[in-house]
Amino acid sequence: MRPLRTFSVEPALPEALRPLKEVAYNLWWCWHGEAQDLFRRLDAGLWEDVYHNPVAMLGRLEQPRLLEAAGDEGFLAHLNRVYTRMEDYLREPGWWGHTYGNSHEPQVAYFCAEFGISECLPIYSGGLGVLAGDHLKSASELGVPLVGIGLLYQQGYFRQRLNADGWQLELFPRNDFHNMPVELVRDAQGKVCKIAVDYPQRVVAAQIWRVKVGRITLYLMDANLPENAPEDRQITAQLYGGDQEMRIRQEVMLGIGGVRALRALNIHPKAYHMNEGHSAFLGFERIRLLMRDNGLSFEEARQAVAASNVFTTHTPVPAGNDAFEPWLIDRYFEHYWGQLGLTREQFLALGRQEPANKDEPMNLTVLAIRLSTFRNGVSRLHGQVSRRLWHNIWPAIPIEEAPIDHITNGIHTPTWLSHDMAELYDRYLGPHWHEQATNEEIWRRVDQIPDTELWRTHERRRERLVAFCRRRLRIQYDKRGASQTELRMADEVLDPEALTIGFARRFATYKRANLILEDLERLKKLMADEGHRLQIIFAGKAHPRDNPGKDLIRQIVHTARLPEYRRWIVFIEDYDINIARYLVQGVDVWLNTPLRPMEASGTSGMKAAANGALNLSIPDGWWDEGFEPDVGWRISAGETYDDLEYQNRVESQALYDLLEKEVVPLFYKRGADNLPREWIERMRAAMRKLAPMFNTNRMVRQYAEKFYAPASKRWDQLTADGMATAKTLAEWTGRIRQNFDAIRVESTGDDVDGVCGVGKPLHVRTQVHLGALKPEDVRVQLCYGRLDPDGQLNHGEYIDMKWTGQTNEAGSHSYTADVNCQTTGISGYTVRVLPCHGDIIDGRDLGLVRWA
């Protein structure tokens, strides 16, 4: 029965409890333990029942309990402390304010398809969303004037259940936004703020919701409105649900709709950050609006947009990057490219590595790269992989020079740290350690924590993890209709004192969750040793259409049911932020076994390390740069083989060797006081060395210094004086492209006869024909260095050569450079010519290079 009218019912809070609502609607509470304890104090059982959702909790608390709390002096004092602390926090300027000056308007727009901020707002699927949530939290801590843009999914990502055979089933419960910490944005007259986005033969409306994350505001678009057609209401139904057509609808809403939402909110950022390629269409919309509002050409608008766009790629395999066939682009953009002054082929070419290849789909990663100036991978190794993957966009440039940087991911440490460990840090690192999370000097104070305190704190977390797993397993078994015998067995799994390994992440085949199950006989011996027992906790979801990933889960579940493993291997259903916290806070060892180099970064191991767990991992992603012998273990040295079965066999044996010879013996090596002192010292080393580096305060500060501040400055420069600089730069770019083919290196010489002594200067001369271009239009560079065994100059150093004059009327110019050769051996040099202009960041961006 459909109601005649709908309305929302809000809790009737007594006046003394009014601040509770403000705290509940700002997700600041989710990384402040005292704030969480405030809600838990009202009703601990209900806090768990509503899955740590304070808005739902306030709506379900009975009025007598609220009145009782309003008269409780102890509770009111607690509320006052939390509220005052939050208010003081919101007023602080943060690092950005002290460095770049306070800005009352957002200067950076951060676009992402998912945001994992808290388990009570389930609009995330995994690593990308959790990273985005941590990014917002650290932007808040640092005071970066940033605003988030995303989609509010009616069903979010799926909930996971396993059937009796261990096969993953997907459930899609609906989110009740009116009982979540989100609020509809309304104008001064109380009217809901909406936008309109053009789709084939129709316009789709979306309303805008607001989420407060400390000092940061996240805006989420919701197309589930009565005025939209049923199929369009599904655009914001599921995260990563549906087919390719649904994907492009969502990405049009995110990219184009997101830019329109900012305009509707009267927010005008200077820099736009595309976190993964899902939001790449925002580049087109920014260009279209600049063209319309300022009478610019496409190229003129593109200069300003690309100069202020930041793009982060997270996917190290081509198949993981969204690409759409031309017919699908035709359907959704046939009305659009004309507004940009482009033909169909010009439009499609912007998303192709080979612009002239008409069979190549439009790839959103390529599009984002072409419409941005600042680009990065998410670890040092991933930066190298990304340069190899996308170097064809700049075919004349050596792979290692492709203009893609890297900023290694991090974690928002206070979010993932257990309350027990946080109290320990407060006591020995100082109460404000989290405000200086990157300060290595502060983290050295970890050495002051007594062994006994550190170990007992860790043991309490392991005990809580085991208790949590038992509760969850009993719920899982009960939902499957398990027998009473099986339910009783759930209460006996795991040993709270045994060496506990955690493995939890998305179940994709390349992550190789079953690598530790390769040799079950060796594993059985490890688990059967009464005095040196080992146990493993698994969790994670496979994509609904990833049957091989689902089969990995099934294999683990079947192994866990065998009598010899029944107590020592468990799989916890429905992996999410809450389960992740229990795992990273309670395990002794965090296991990660991806197929190198397919893990872009990974952050779960960082969360475990901050809590004192030791990483046991393939040297991939962040661990490739984070590993040191005293902070964890590295499985193999990173070798790769063509034969996958052989690689799995080699690395699984290396894993067992480490467990048998190092990990297990070290954990159970106890003194007279039963403390594993050498293990504890490794815990300290992991916290001391990894925590100050692998956190999002460092990461966001790097984004701000390397990308956000320069991008904002570039926007100001290019848009000043009626877009004068953008117009000049567009004219210059067109002239360079038109005349660059005429450039040639006519001659090169030096002053040595085949041999140059160490320390002796090498004087190099070259003559370059520039044709119609001028010396100030180009940079002539000398590349020199040692040759590799194949006689190739692959890792040379570049120095700018000095212009010494024009040699004739035909456009030839001479250049010189002096080089001091410092190493012996076969060396060489070559010369290249690049475009150069004071208003471009990197001449390589144009992809125009002339080599001698």
Side-chain angles (χ1 to χ4, degrees):
M1 183 185 302
R2 291 186 63 83
L4 289 173
R5 184 170 174 270
T6 61
F7 55 91
S8 60
V9 180
E10 295 185 346
L13 290 178
E15 189 60 35
L17 300 185
R18 289 291 175 186
L20 261 181
K21 184 177 179 181
E22 285 191 52
V23 177
Y25 274 95
N26 191 322
L27 286 162
W28 170 89
W29 62 260
C30 78
W31 69 90
H32 289 86
E34 190 177 22
Q36 295 163 39
D37 289 340
L38 180 68
F39 294 107
R40 191 177 286 109
R41 183 170 178 171
L42 282 169
D43 189 325
L46 182 57
W47 178 246
E48 296 301 324
D49 288 346
V50 298
Y51 217 50
H52 311 153
N53 180 346
V55 175
M57 182 179 193
L58 293 179
R60 287 176 56 178
L61 276 170
E62 294 185 0
Q63 206 64 27
R65 177 64 187 111
L66 291 172
L67 292 172
E68 180 186 1
D72 184 337
E73 291 186 3
F75 181 83
L76 293 178
H78 189 171
L79 171 58
N80 183 60
R81 283 196 310 273
V82 169
Y83 184 68
T84 301
R85 185 178 176 187
M86 186 181 80
E87 288 290 289
D88 290 344
Y89 171 88
L90 296 177
R91 282 192 292 267
E92 293 170 3
W95 164 82
W96 177 284
H98 292 302
T99 307
Y100 298 103
N102 289 331
S103 174
H104 300 293
E105 296 295 329
Q107 294 186 32
V108 181
Y110 181 85
F111 283 63
C112 193
E114 51 174 304
F115 287 89
I117 304 166
S118 166
E119 60 269 28
C120 75
L121 188 59
I123 57 170
Y124 62 93
S125 74
L128 178 70
V130 170
L131 176 79
D134 282 8
H135 193 113
L136 297 190
K137 293 170 187 175
S138 280
S140 172
E141 305 275 62
L142 296 170
V144 177
L146 179 147
V147 59
I149 296 291
L151 301 178
L152 187 60
Y153 303 97
Q154 187 71 56
Q155 297 172 333
Y157 202 51
F158 71 90
R159 303 293 299 272
Q160 181 194 54
R161 291 288 178 268
L162 303 183
N163 68 13
D165 187 44
W167 190 257
Q168 174 181 288
L169 305 176
E170 295 87 31
L171 307 176
F172 296 92
R174 293 172 67 86
N175 289 324
D176 180 4
F177 302 145
H178 295 283
N179 275 306
M180 290 180 173
V182 300
E183 300 172 285
L184 276 170
V185 178
R186 300 178 185 273
D187 62 21
Q189 289 72 44
K191 187 178 178 182
V192 173
C193 184
K194 295 182 181 180
I195 58 166
V197 180
D198 301 307
Y199 283 81
Q201 289 82 50
R202 66 196 188 280
V203 173
V204 177
Q207 59 189 1
I208 304 172
W209 297 76
R210 177 194 300 114
V211 182
K212 295 177 183 176
V213 187
R215 302 184 185 106
I216 300 298
T217 303
L218 168 63
Y219 292 103
L220 302 170
M221 292 165 288
D222 167 23
N224 185 22
L225 299 175
E227 58 261 44
N228 290 332
E231 62 270 22
D232 292 329
R233 297 180 69 167
Q234 295 298 308
I235 290 172
T236 54
Q238 295 176 11
L239 173 59
Y240 305 139
D243 55 13
Q244 279 290 88
E245 186 148 10
M246 179 54 71
R247 180 64 66 90
I248 197 172
R249 289 178 187 174
Q250 291 183 328
E251 293 176 350
V252 166
M253 180 61 72
L254 177 62
I256 295 176
V259 173
R260 295 184 185 182
L262 288 169
R263 282 219 159 188
L265 296 164
N266 199 28
I267 296 173
H268 304 283
K270 297 178 180 180
Y272 284 69
H273 186 169
M274 297 172 277
N275 193 43
E276 195 56 289
H278 306 119
S279 59
F281 293 135
L282 74 81
F284 284 142
E285 183 67 1
R286 292 190 68 201
I287 290 170
R288 186 188 71 83
L289 291 171
L290 274 182
M291 292 174 66
R292 187 194 70 184
D293 296 345
N294 297 277
L296 303 179
S297 68
F298 176 84
E299 193 56 39
E300 290 167 345
R302 179 185 177 180
Q303 293 294 336
V305 167
S308 56
N309 271 354
V310 179
F311 170 58
T312 300
T313 176
H314 292 261
T315 311
V317 291
N321 295 269
D322 283 343
F324 300 110
E325 293 297 330
W327 66 265
L328 199 52
I329 296 296
D330 289 344
R331 178 176 296 175
Y332 283 86
F333 288 93
E334 192 174 28
H335 67 286
Y336 196 90
W337 56 64
Q339 299 177 59
L340 300 175
L342 300 178
T343 66
R344 174 182 183 272
E345 289 306 319
Q346 288 172 328
F347 186 85
L348 289 166
L350 289 165
R352 291 169 169 165
Q353 289 204 65
E354 299 178 31
N357 182 359
K358 295 186 178 182
D359 294 326
E360 187 179 338
M362 173 176 264
N363 187 298
L364 293 202
T365 297
V366 175
L367 177 63
I369 287 173
R370 290 196 188 277
L371 296 183
S372 60
T373 296
F374 305 93
R375 319 171 187 95
N376 70 286
V378 290
S379 68
R380 182 178 62 198
L381 179 60
H382 182 234
Q384 298 168 7
V385 171
S386 297
R387 288 189 284 275
R388 286 200 302 271
L389 197 59
W390 306 112
H391 78 276
N392 284 334
I393 296 173
W394 309 275
I397 295 175
I399 292 175
E400 63 272 12
E401 282 195 69
I404 300 176
D405 204 340
H406 83 272
I407 293 179
T408 301
N409 283 344
I411 62 162
H412 183 247
T413 309
T415 292
W416 300 100
L417 202 63
S418 73
H419 292 180
D420 308 72
M421 193 65 76
E423 289 175 4
L424 209 56
Y425 284 177
D426 287 347
R427 195 176 311 135
Y428 290 97
L429 275 62
H432 303 293
W433 65 267
H434 50 85
E435 296 172 10
Q436 304 178 63
T438 60
N439 188 327
E440 293 183 7
E441 188 62 39
I442 285 178
W443 284 99
R444 290 194 186 100
R445 299 175 191 169
V446 167
D447 293 337
Q448 299 174 17
I449 304 175
D451 288 359
T452 303
E453 279 193 72
L454 181 56
W455 188 246
R456 296 303 174 227
T457 298
H458 179 64
E459 284 195 311
R460 283 198 302 274
R461 294 309 310 170
R462 191 190 318 113
E463 290 166 4
R464 290 178 192 172
L465 170 61
V466 169
F468 171 78
C469 288
R470 289 172 177 174
R471 290 196 305 271
R472 289 296 294 250
L473 281 173
R474 191 175 181 90
I475 293 170
Q476 288 176 206
Y477 292 170
D478 189 45
K479 286 182 177 178
R480 287 204 296 269
S483 66
Q484 286 301 311
T485 302
E486 288 179 293
L487 291 176
R488 283 193 297 271
M489 284 172 52
D491 295 332
E492 300 172 356
V493 300
L494 305 176
D495 180 346
E497 296 183 357
L499 171 60
T500 304
I501 295 177
F503 183 102
R505 52 192 36 85
R506 182 166 59 90
F507 267 66
T509 52
Y510 78 85
K511 293 180 183 282
R512 298 190 297 179
N514 61 343
L515 192 69
I516 198 169
L517 308 181
E518 280 276 316
D519 189 338
L520 288 177
E521 283 303 310
R522 289 185 76 174
L523 184 61
K524 182 167 68 174
K525 289 178 184 176
L526 285 164
M527 292 184 166
D529 189 340
E530 188 69 38
H532 298 79
R533 190 140 355 234
L534 174 150
Q535 58 195 12
I536 310 172
I537 303 171
F538 289 95
K541 297 176 178 179
H543 189 278
R545 292 192 294 276
D546 182 7
N547 285 337
K550 292 182 181 182
D551 195 54
L552 285 179
I553 296 173
R554 182 177 169 277
Q555 289 177 35
I556 290 168
V557 171
H558 278 248
T559 302
R561 289 175 181 170
L562 297 173
E564 56 267 43
Y565 306 112
R566 188 170 290 152
R567 282 196 63 195
W568 315 115
I569 298 179
V570 298
F571 186 95
I572 305 298
E573 289 180 2
D574 206 26
Y575 184 49
D576 67 356
I577 287 176
N578 185 45
I579 293 173
R581 273 200 306 268
Y582 273 99
L583 285 168
V584 299
Q585 293 170 6
V587 299
D588 301 294
V589 173
W590 194 258
L591 179 64
N592 189 26
T593 52
L595 188 64
R596 192 179 193 265
M598 297 179 73
E599 180 94 301
S601 173
T603 56
S604 55
M606 304 175 192
K607 297 160 189 157
N611 283 283
L614 302 181
N615 277 269
L616 173 59
S617 176
I618 296 289
D620 198 10
W622 80 280
W623 194 237
D624 184 66
E625 57 196 277
F627 168 75
E628 292 183 30
D630 60 341
V631 302
W633 294 272
R634 179 177 62 188
I635 305 167
S636 81
E639 307 94 341
T640 58
Y641 304 95
D642 293 333
D643 185 336
L644 179 57
E645 287 189 13
Y646 180 71
Q647 175 125 18
N648 289 344
R649 189 160 60 250
V650 167
E651 291 181 339
S652 65
Q653 294 305 309
L655 170 57
Y656 293 126
D657 286 344
L658 283 170
L659 289 171
E660 292 167 350
K661 298 173 184 176
E662 296 191 34
V663 180
V664 174
L666 189 69
F667 181 83
Y668 286 104
K669 184 180 179 182
R670 308 293 172 98
D673 53 5
N674 200 34
L675 291 179
R677 294 192 182 273
E678 291 182 34
W679 185 279
I680 294 169
E681 190 50 46
R682 281 192 179 231
M683 291 172 63
R684 276 206 195 87
M687 293 185 285
R688 184 176 63 245
K689 293 183 177 182
L690 300 178
M693 176 60 186
F694 297 101
N695 65 76
T696 44
N697 279 29
R698 181 271 311 159
M699 181 193 83
V700 172
R701 183 165 173 170
Q702 281 187 299
Y703 276 110
E705 292 174 335
K706 295 177 72 171
F707 297 163
Y708 295 163
S712 298
K713 184 178 179 181
R714 293 269 291 143
W715 173 260
D716 286 341
Q717 291 171 341
L718 268 68
T719 58
D721 301 322
M723 312 288 294
T725 304
K727 293 175 182 178
T728 300
L729 192 55
E731 183 278 328
W732 175 85
T733 301
R735 185 165 55 83
I736 290 290
R737 292 191 184 280
Q738 184 177 353
N739 293 286
F740 202 82
D741 284 346
I743 292 177
R744 61 181 183 273
V745 179
E746 295 180 313
S747 64
T748 301
D750 55 58
D751 59 354
V752 299
D753 187 19
V755 177
C756 183
V758 172
K760 180 182 177 182
L762 172 68
H763 183 72
V764 181
R765 306 173 302 278
T766 190
Q767 187 164 309
V768 181
H769 176 76
L770 297 180
L773 298 178
K774 302 173 183 177
E776 55 266 32
D777 291 327
V778 299
R779 171 178 291 166
V780 179
Q781 292 184 317
L782 179 72
C783 174
Y784 70 97
R786 293 283 303 273
L787 304 187
D788 67 18
D790 295 325
Q792 299 296 311
L793 179 58
N794 286 324
H795 300 286
E797 296 182 41
Y798 291 95
I799 60 170
D800 289 340
M801 301 188 76
K802 182 181 178 181
W803 179 78
T804 57
Q806 185 168 345
T807 58
N808 57 45
E809 295 297 324
S812 290
H813 301 258
S814 60
Y815 293 81
T816 63
D818 290 316
V819 177
N820 282 319
C821 300
Q822 299 297 328
T823 57
T824 60
I826 303 299
S827 299
Y829 67 79
T830 188
V831 172
R832 74 177 183 185
V833 185
L834 293 167
C836 178
H837 192 284
D839 288 318
I840 63 173
I841 297 288
D842 191 338
R844 295 172 301 178
D845 261 352
L846 296 179
L848 300 174
V849 184
R850 180 70 69 237
W851 294 90

